[in-house]
Each structure stands twice: as structure tokens, then as C-alpha cells.
């Protein structure tokens, strides 16, 4: 599961993403939490490209557990 959340989101609190991450940890669900410090609600355009590159690898079993290192910032999403 790839969780992406803007830290400046005023519609859905960052706490929701943190609770989801805690549930993943509790139940052994492989996940990534991509916290975008400057982002608000809704993913930045680069997120769609990143997901489309990451998802096939994850579904095929060739996943590294994280988006490719070609992204800038933590996972390369432009905020």
C-alpha cells in the first residue's frame, strides 16, 4: 500500500494517514508513507506518474517497497 498525504491538507488531517500506517504496521501490511510537507489536499501531478511506475513493479512481485530513487524529495513527488 502506498499512502501519500499532504501535511498541509485542511480537508483530511495527516493523522488519518498516520493511523492507516499504524494499522499497516500492526497487521504486517507492506506499505510506504509518503508525507509531502508542502502539499495540501489532492496529489501533485507527479504523483500520478510515480504511481504508474511503482504499481506494476509492486503487483509483479519485483517491488523494492519504495518508489524508484529517480524521484526528488523523499520519493520524488513535486509538492
Amino acid at each position: 500500500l502506498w499512502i501519500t498525504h499532504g501535511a498541509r491538507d485542511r480537508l483530511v488531517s495527516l493523522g488519518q494517514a498516520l493511523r492507516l500506517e499504524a494499522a499497516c504496521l500492526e497487521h504486517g501490511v507492506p506499505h510506504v508513507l509518503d508525507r509531502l510537507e508542502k502539499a495540501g489536499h489532492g496529489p501533485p501531478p507527479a504523483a500520478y506518474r510515480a504511481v504508474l511506475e511503482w504499481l506494476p513493479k509492486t503487483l509483479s512481485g519485483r517491488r523494492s517497497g519504495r518508489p524508484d530513487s529517480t524521484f526528488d524529495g523523499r520519493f520524488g513527488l513535486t509538492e
Side-chain angles (χ1 to χ4, degrees):
L1 179 63
W2 185 358
I3 308 163
T4 302
H5 200 100
R8 295 182 180 178
D9 189 336
R10 293 181 186 214
L11 185 61
V12 179
S13 75
L14 178 60
Q16 295 296 319
L18 298 175
R19 288 178 59 201
L20 179 55
E21 180 184 40
C24 288
L25 289 168
E26 180 181 344
H27 297 284
V29 175
H31 70 284
V32 174
L33 174 57
D34 191 359
R35 179 177 171 164
L36 304 174
E37 295 302 325
K38 297 177 184 175
H41 190 75
Y48 296 104
R49 177 181 47 85
V51 168
L52 290 175
E53 291 174 7
W54 177 78
L55 191 57
K57 294 176 193 174
T58 301
L59 294 176
S60 70
R62 295 187 322 263
R63 65 186 166 91
S64 64
R66 297 210 181 281
D68 292 338
S69 60
T70 56
F71 305 124
D72 61 344
R74 183 166 176 213
F75 296 118
L77 300 181
T78 304
E79 297 183 58

